[in-house]
Amino acid sequence: MTRIPPGGAIGIFGGGQLGRMTALAAARLGYRCHVFCPEAESPAVEVSAAATIADYADLSALDAFSGSIDVATFEFENVPHEAVARVAARVPVRPGWEALRTSQDRAVEKRFLNAVGLETAPWTEIRSADDLRQAPCPGILKTARLGYDGKGQMRLAEGFDAEAVWKAFGAERGVAEALVDFSAEISAIAARGEDGSVAVFDVARNDHRDGILRQTTVPARIPDPVAVEAQAMAARAAEALDLVGLLAVEFFVTGDGRLLANEIAPRPHNSGHWTQDACGTDQFEQFVRAVAGLPLGDPARHSDAEMVNLLGGEVRSWPDLLAEPGACLHLYGKREVRPGRKMGHVTRLSPKTR
Ligand code: AMP
C-alpha cells in the first residue's frame, strides 16, 4: 500500500473545473497539486501549487512532471496511453490504465458493462454504412471515441439513409444504440480506496438539455430498490476495474424500473457536484483520499439538494445567486463566456426528506 501523507504532491492530468475542485479539496487536506495540461488559461491551474503547460506527447515535460509528484491522477479520461505509461513508470497512477482505457471508447465500455452484468440499451459497433444498416432503430449513433456532452451524436430515425448518415457522421468508428424511452436518468458515484473499501454516494437524478447536464436532484425520486441496485452496480463496476478513485455510472431508468447503464467516468462527475454542499465528505475529497491512499470518508448526505449548472451567459446571474439565502455558488473562473460552456454551478439545499 502506498499512502501519500498530507504535505505530498498530487499530479493532475487536465486543467478543467473538475481538476480545479479536486485541487481545492486536496489543498484543504494539506496536499499540493501540480496540474499538467496543454492550455495556459485553465481553471485548475489558477488554484494549484504548480503547473506544467505542455502537450500530452511532450516526454521531457512528462518526466519533469513525474519527478515532482508522489502520485498522479486525471480530471478527464482522454489522456493518451503513452503519457500515462510514461508517468506510471515513476509514480503510482490512480486510477490505473484499465479504467481509463475502458472509458475512452464507447464500444470497449459497453462490452465491459455487459461482461460484468450491467444491462445497456441494445447496441452494435459501427465501422461502415453496411454496419449501420443493422443498427437498432430508432436509435442514436455515437462516436466511439472523444465524444462528450452529447457531441458527436446523430439520431437514426425510421427509414434513415445509411450511406448519407455514415458520410455525415465522419468518424472512423461508432456505436449505434437503441433510443431508450426512459422515465429518468440517474447516476451513482462510487469511491474505491486502495484497500478495496467502497463508499457510494446517494443516487442523483439528472436532467439534460441538448445533451448537456442541466440539473441534478437528490433524492432522485425513484423507488428505493432501484436506487440501491444502481449503487451496487457502480460498486461492482469499480471493483471489476480494480479502480482506485471514483467511478461515476450513468443509467437510464425505464418505465418498468429496469436500469440500463449508459456511460462510466473514472473521475469526479458533474452529477456529483451536489455532494460539496450536502455531504460531510464530498466527491472531490473522496477522490483525493482514494488517490492518496487514505481511508475513505463518510459519504452520508445531510440535506436534500438541487444542483443547477450555469451555462454560458447564465453565469451573469451571480449577483442574484449571491443574494439568495441558502444558494451555494461555485464559479470556475473562466474568462471567456461561450454558449453552453460550463461556467459554474449553484446548489440549493433543503431539509433532508428521506
Ligand atoms: P451521452 O453522451 O451518451 O451521455 O448522451 C448524452 C445524452 O443524450 C444522455 O444523457 C441522454 O439524455 C441522451 N441519450 C444518449 N443515449 C440515449 C439513448 N440510447 N436513448 C435515449 N437518450 C439518449
Side-chain angles (χ1 to χ4, degrees), residues 142-153:
K142 303 178 177 180
T143 54
R145 300 180 71 86
L146 299 177
Y148 69 98
D149 282 348
K151 294 190 171 65
Q153 305 195 358

Side-chain angles (χ1 to χ4, degrees), residues 9-349:
I10 299 175
I12 303 175
F13 279 108
Q17 63 268 16
L18 300 176
R20 178 186 181 93
M21 291 183 275
T22 300
L24 292 172
R28 195 154 58 83
L29 288 179
Y31 292 97
R32 289 172 298 115
C33 285
H34 184 157
V35 170
F36 191 115
C37 67
E39 311 86 10
E41 267 195 24
S42 300
V45 168
E46 293 183 353
V47 301
S48 295
T52 298
I53 310 301
D55 193 89
Y56 294 118
D58 184 336
L59 298 184
S60 60
L62 288 167
D63 288 346
F65 174 64
S66 53
S68 75
I69 56 177
D70 298 302
V71 64
T73 191
F74 315 86
E75 63 109 46
F76 84 122
E77 52 271 32
N78 288 313
V79 181
H81 180 234
E82 296 71 24
V84 179
R86 189 83 179 186
V87 172
R90 298 183 68 169
V91 293
V93 176
R94 298 173 180 151
W97 175 244
E98 189 57 19
L100 284 188
R101 183 185 78 87
T102 306
S103 58
Q104 283 184 353
D105 187 303
R106 285 190 195 267
V108 177
E109 179 177 71
K110 287 182 192 300
R111 232 172 264 129
F112 162 76
L113 290 166
N114 295 156
V116 295
L118 272 65
E119 195 183 347
T120 55
W123 66 279
T124 60
E125 190 166 356
I126 306 290
R127 294 170 185 276
S128 66
D130 261 356
D131 290 345
L132 206 47
R133 290 191 184 91
Q134 316 301 319
C137 189
I140 304 187
L141 175 63
K142 303 178 177 180
T143 54
R145 300 180 71 86
L146 299 177
Y148 69 98
D149 282 348
K151 294 190 171 65
Q153 305 195 358
M154 291 178 78
R155 292 286 169 118
L156 303 174
E158 213 58 62
F160 73 91
D161 177 343
E163 290 289 347
V165 168
W166 184 244
K167 202 162 162 226
F169 185 56
E172 229 169 71
R173 205 160 51 79
V175 300
E177 59 187 64
L179 195 66
V180 178
D181 182 19
F182 53 80
S183 63
E185 287 189 84
I186 62 162
S187 54
I189 301 177
R192 185 162 179 271
E194 219 212 343
D195 59 0
S197 59
V198 174
V200 190
F201 289 104
D202 278 356
V203 165
R205 183 190 193 100
N206 301 318
D207 292 298
H208 294 83
R209 199 182 299 160
D210 301 328
I212 301 178
L213 181 66
R214 179 80 220 153
Q215 180 172 326
T216 296
T217 312
V218 190
R221 301 190 313 271
I222 55 172
D224 282 345
V226 179
V228 169
E229 194 188 349
Q231 288 179 306
M233 286 176 168
R236 195 194 313 163
E239 274 158 11
L241 290 169
D242 196 20
L243 171 137
V244 175
L246 291 183
L247 187 73
V249 185
E250 293 182 72
F251 299 94
F252 301 118
V253 185
T254 63
D256 55 356
R258 275 184 314 138
L259 285 167
L260 303 179
N262 178 34
E263 255 189 340
I264 60 171
R267 53 166 170 77
H269 197 255
N270 194 169
S271 71
H273 289 358
W274 62 272
T275 61
Q276 292 172 304
D277 300 300
C279 298
T281 308
D282 73 1
Q283 65 163 347
F284 298 101
E285 177 176 336
Q286 203 72 299
F287 185 49
V288 170
R289 284 178 178 238
V291 166
L294 305 182
L296 298 179
D298 180 2
R301 173 172 61 86
H302 55 68
S303 300
D304 288 1
E306 187 191 280
M307 188 285 312
V308 177
N309 273 335
L310 300 173
L311 304 176
E314 289 167 2
V315 71
R316 299 194 183 98
S317 65
W318 64 263
D320 296 336
L321 294 169
L322 278 184
E324 183 185 322
C328 309
L329 181 63
H330 301 257
L331 299 176
Y332 308 150
K334 296 180 182 175
R335 286 182 194 84
E336 197 190 335
V337 177
R338 290 196 296 264
R341 191 177 195 201
K342 292 177 179 169
M343 304 298 293
H345 65 272
V346 58
T347 300
R348 296 179 174 92
L349 300 181

